[in-house]
PDB file of all heavy atoms in Angstrom:
ATOM      1  N   SER A 140       0.665 -26.698  11.744  1.00  0.00           N
ATOM      2  CA  SER A 140      -0.509 -26.136  12.415  1.00  0.00           C
ATOM      3  C   SER A 140      -0.632 -24.631  12.214  1.00  0.00           C
ATOM      4  O   SER A 140      -1.671 -24.047  12.520  1.00  0.00           O
ATOM      5  CB  SER A 140      -0.463 -26.441  13.909  1.00  0.00           C
ATOM      6  OG  SER A 140       0.674 -25.832  14.507  1.00  0.00           O
ATOM      7  N   GLY A 141       0.426 -23.991  11.715  1.00  0.00           N
ATOM      8  CA  GLY A 141       0.432 -22.547  11.489  1.00  0.00           C
ATOM      9  C   GLY A 141       0.797 -22.209  10.063  1.00  0.00           C
ATOM     10  O   GLY A 141       0.619 -23.014   9.148  1.00  0.00           O
ATOM     11  N   ILE A 142       1.327 -21.003   9.852  1.00  0.00           N
ATOM     12  CA  ILE A 142       1.586 -20.538   8.483  1.00  0.00           C
ATOM     13  C   ILE A 142       3.071 -20.506   8.128  1.00  0.00           C
ATOM     14  O   ILE A 142       3.453 -19.990   7.083  1.00  0.00           O
ATOM     15  CB  ILE A 142       0.928 -19.165   8.213  1.00  0.00           C
ATOM     16  CG1 ILE A 142       1.463 -18.070   9.136  1.00  0.00           C
ATOM     17  CG2 ILE A 142      -0.596 -19.286   8.340  1.00  0.00           C
ATOM     18  CD1 ILE A 142       0.950 -16.664   8.787  1.00  0.00           C
ATOM     19  N   GLY A 143       3.915 -21.064   8.992  1.00  0.00           N
ATOM     20  CA  GLY A 143       5.285 -21.369   8.602  1.00  0.00           C
ATOM     21  C   GLY A 143       6.194 -20.195   8.292  1.00  0.00           C
ATOM     22  O   GLY A 143       6.985 -20.255   7.344  1.00  0.00           O
ATOM     23  N   TYR A 144       6.148 -19.137   9.093  1.00  0.00           N
ATOM     24  CA  TYR A 144       7.071 -18.025   8.882  1.00  0.00           C
ATOM     25  C   TYR A 144       8.521 -18.519   8.925  1.00  0.00           C
ATOM     26  O   TYR A 144       8.899 -19.301   9.790  1.00  0.00           O
ATOM     27  CB  TYR A 144       6.889 -16.967   9.969  1.00  0.00           C
ATOM     28  CG  TYR A 144       5.921 -15.848   9.625  1.00  0.00           C
ATOM     29  CD1 TYR A 144       5.014 -15.944   8.579  1.00  0.00           C
ATOM     30  CD2 TYR A 144       5.925 -14.670  10.370  1.00  0.00           C
ATOM     31  CE1 TYR A 144       4.145 -14.918   8.286  1.00  0.00           C
ATOM     32  CE2 TYR A 144       5.056 -13.624  10.085  1.00  0.00           C
ATOM     33  CZ  TYR A 144       4.172 -13.749   9.039  1.00  0.00           C
ATOM     34  OH  TYR A 144       3.321 -12.716   8.756  1.00  0.00           O
ATOM     35  N   SER A 145       9.339 -17.994   8.012  1.00  0.00           N
ATOM     36  CA  SER A 145      10.740 -18.412   7.916  1.00  0.00           C
ATOM     37  C   SER A 145      11.713 -17.246   7.858  1.00  0.00           C
ATOM     38  O   SER A 145      12.923 -17.458   7.826  1.00  0.00           O
ATOM     39  CB  SER A 145      10.930 -19.283   6.672  1.00  0.00           C
ATOM     40  OG  SER A 145      10.506 -18.589   5.506  1.00  0.00           O
ATOM     41  N   LEU A 146      11.202 -16.020   7.844  1.00  0.00           N
ATOM     42  CA  LEU A 146      12.024 -14.818   7.692  1.00  0.00           C
ATOM     43  C   LEU A 146      11.649 -13.835   8.803  1.00  0.00           C
ATOM     44  O   LEU A 146      10.487 -13.758   9.206  1.00  0.00           O
ATOM     45  CB  LEU A 146      11.778 -14.198   6.318  1.00  0.00           C
ATOM     46  CG  LEU A 146      12.571 -12.961   5.908  1.00  0.00           C
ATOM     47  CD1 LEU A 146      14.068 -13.247   5.850  1.00  0.00           C
ATOM     48  CD2 LEU A 146      12.081 -12.460   4.537  1.00  0.00           C
ATOM     49  N   ALA A 147      12.630 -13.071   9.300  1.00  0.00           N
ATOM     50  CA  ALA A 147      12.354 -12.115  10.372  1.00  0.00           C
ATOM     51  C   ALA A 147      13.295 -10.920  10.276  1.00  0.00           C
ATOM     52  O   ALA A 147      14.389 -11.008   9.711  1.00  0.00           O
ATOM     53  CB  ALA A 147      12.504 -12.777  11.743  1.00  0.00           C
ATOM     54  N   ARG A 148      12.841  -9.821  10.846  1.00  0.00           N
ATOM     55  CA  ARG A 148      13.633  -8.602  10.936  1.00  0.00           C
ATOM     56  C   ARG A 148      13.571  -8.117  12.378  1.00  0.00           C
ATOM     57  O   ARG A 148      12.554  -8.300  13.053  1.00  0.00           O
ATOM     58  CB  ARG A 148      13.036  -7.537  10.001  1.00  0.00           C
ATOM     59  CG  ARG A 148      13.755  -6.185   9.984  1.00  0.00           C
ATOM     60  CD  ARG A 148      12.895  -5.175   9.234  1.00  0.00           C
ATOM     61  NE  ARG A 148      13.582  -3.927   8.944  1.00  0.00           N
ATOM     62  CZ  ARG A 148      12.965  -2.749   8.820  1.00  0.00           C
ATOM     63  NH1 ARG A 148      11.649  -2.657   8.986  1.00  0.00           N
ATOM     64  NH2 ARG A 148      13.644  -1.657   8.549  1.00  0.00           N
ATOM     65  N   THR A 149      14.650  -7.515  12.858  1.00  0.00           N
ATOM     66  CA  THR A 149      14.591  -6.818  14.138  1.00  0.00           C
ATOM     67  C   THR A 149      15.416  -5.546  14.049  1.00  0.00           C
ATOM     68  O   THR A 149      16.151  -5.334  13.072  1.00  0.00           O
ATOM     69  CB  THR A 149      15.021  -7.719  15.308  1.00  0.00           C
ATOM     70  OG1 THR A 149      14.536  -7.148  16.540  1.00  0.00           O
ATOM     71  CG2 THR A 149      16.530  -7.898  15.386  1.00  0.00           C
ATOM     72  N   HIS A 150      15.281  -4.689  15.047  1.00  0.00           N
ATOM     73  CA  HIS A 150      15.890  -3.361  14.990  1.00  0.00           C
ATOM     74  C   HIS A 150      17.142  -3.292  15.857  1.00  0.00           C
ATOM     75  O   HIS A 150      17.229  -3.920  16.915  1.00  0.00           O
ATOM     76  CB  HIS A 150      14.889  -2.274  15.393  1.00  0.00           C
ATOM     77  CG  HIS A 150      14.053  -2.599  16.589  1.00  0.00           C
ATOM     78  ND1 HIS A 150      14.348  -2.143  17.855  1.00  0.00           N
ATOM     79  CD2 HIS A 150      12.934  -3.344  16.718  1.00  0.00           C
ATOM     80  CE1 HIS A 150      13.433  -2.569  18.713  1.00  0.00           C
ATOM     81  NE2 HIS A 150      12.570  -3.319  18.052  1.00  0.00           N
ATOM     82  N   ILE A 151      18.112  -2.510  15.421  1.00  0.00           N
ATOM     83  CA  ILE A 151      19.330  -2.222  16.179  1.00  0.00           C
ATOM     84  C   ILE A 151      19.046  -0.970  17.013  1.00  0.00           C
ATOM     85  O   ILE A 151      18.885   0.118  16.475  1.00  0.00           O
ATOM     86  CB  ILE A 151      20.531  -1.987  15.248  1.00  0.00           C
ATOM     87  CG1 ILE A 151      20.801  -3.230  14.390  1.00  0.00           C
ATOM     88  CG2 ILE A 151      21.771  -1.597  16.049  1.00  0.00           C
ATOM     89  CD1 ILE A 151      21.901  -3.022  13.333  1.00  0.00           C
TER      90      ILE A 151
END
Side-chain angles (χ1 to χ4, degrees):
S140 62
I142 61 173
Y144 267 16
S145 56
L146 183 62
R148 180 191 191 209
T149 199
H150 43 98
I151 300 174

